[in-house]
Amino acid sequence: DAGVIQSPRHEVTEMGQEVTLRCKPISGHNSLFWYRQTMMRGLELLIYFNNNVPIDDSGMPEDRFSAKMPNASFSTLKIQPSEPRDSAVYFCASSDRVVNIQYFGAGTRLSVL
Amino acid sequence: AQSVTQPDIHITVSEGASLELRCNYSYGATPYLFWYVQSPGQGLQLLLKYFSGDTLVQGIKGFEAEFKRSQSSFNLRKPSVHWSDAAEYFCAVGAEETGANNLFFGTGTRLTVIP
């Protein structure tokens, strides 16, 4: 398996623009997680899905952030409108209840100017 | 709720020296414990995990960790550090009933290796 695949790897955008980050989990995994990593706050869980259903979105910072998982092989994290303080590395991870290990993608480095 | 403390923000060791990274967790029941490593510009890679059984677990890249329930610790060790081990290391704790679905990560320890 190719592992968790995130795209794009880098995104540079201007304040106010919409940003969409994409994630393809490992095939067969039924849980998907979105994290944000910054120097100041470390690694923060934003939201996680189980069987394509959002289970815990308490980490989503505000209404500008939204996440979807339309099927078992694809998820998006959208920021609209983006702000400079959203600049961070966003990670996607997936797991299943058998192995009980989260596997991480390589991340998307977002810069909002 | 679970929590994790990694008391060392930054550690510097000489290549070939031994290494121990500290991790203390807070959780009342049986914890699931993990160590991840993050190289610059990369995602987190699992080094090792503890769910149950032998309290000394072996991982990849020559790392091991020991679960000590009495001390609520899960320290990571390596007998001889290589320059390629320079990275950020994260300890994480989960609960048996939720598995990997609800992990709490520490703030990380950055390891610098000097020649």
Side-chain angles (χ1 to χ4, degrees):
Chain A
D1 199 311
V4 177
I5 299 173
Q6 292 187 245
S7 64
R9 288 297 312 276
H10 299 91
E11 177 81 38
V12 181
T13 190
E14 294 187 347
M15 182 174 64
Q17 296 298 305
E18 177 180 295
V19 175
T20 299
L21 311 181
R22 296 172 175 79
C23 175
K24 176 179 168 56
I26 292 173
S27 177
H29 283 189
N30 62 345
S31 295
L32 183 139
F33 309 82
W34 282 101
Y35 290 89
R36 179 172 66 177
Q37 185 180 43
T38 61
M39 289 291 292
M40 292 299 296
R41 301 173 69 89
L43 194 64
E44 304 173 274
L45 177 65
L46 300 177
I47 185 171
Y48 90 86
F49 295 84
N50 197 42
N51 294 323
N52 311 337
V53 176
I55 301 300
D56 182 0
D57 65 353
S58 59
M60 295 287 262
E62 47 198 276
D63 292 345
R64 296 185 298 107
F65 286 69
S66 63
K68 294 182 179 180
M69 192 165 185
N71 56 63
S73 58
F74 184 65
S75 177
T76 59
L77 178 66
K78 185 175 295 186
I79 308 173
Q80 166 63 19
S82 59
E83 297 183 2
R85 59 194 169 117
D86 301 330
S87 298
V89 181
Y90 291 82
F91 289 105
C92 176
S94 70
S95 73
D96 68 33
R97 203 58 176 93
V98 175
V99 179
N100 274 319
I101 296 170
Q102 286 191 25
Y103 293 91
F104 283 74
T108 296
R109 181 173 295 277
L110 173 65
S111 297
V112 183
L113 307 177
Chain B
Q2 302 98 304
S3 67
V4 176
T5 301
Q6 292 181 249
D8 303 306
I9 295 174
H10 187 199
I11 284 182
T12 299
V13 299
S14 298
E15 191 169 15
S18 63
L19 172 70
E20 182 169 28
L21 302 183
R22 295 183 291 167
C23 172
N24 293 98
Y25 69 91
S26 174
Y27 183 57
T30 303
Y32 278 12
L33 296 161
F34 306 81
W35 275 100
Y36 283 85
V37 60
Q38 183 182 25
S39 298
Q42 301 298 315
L44 278 70
Q45 180 185 20
L46 181 72
L47 282 176
L48 48 79
K49 66 186 186 300
Y50 172 80
F51 290 169
S52 64
D54 192 345
T55 55
L56 183 64
V57 293
Q58 303 296 321
I60 61 171
K61 306 185 181 186
F63 285 92
E64 67 178 27
E66 187 171 11
F67 169 56
K68 293 185 177 180
R69 185 185 296 276
S70 61
Q71 298 178 19
S72 297
S73 69
F74 189 56
N75 295 348
L76 182 71
R77 301 194 295 249
K78 187 170 184 177
S80 177
V81 170
H82 188 262
W83 65 265
S84 61
D85 293 325
E88 184 115 22
Y89 291 80
F90 293 91
C91 181
V93 63
E96 184 175 7
E97 58 267 24
T98 53
N101 282 355
N102 195 17
L103 294 188
F104 291 80
F105 284 85
T107 51
T109 297
R110 180 168 298 279
L111 175 65
T112 297
V113 181
I114 56 177

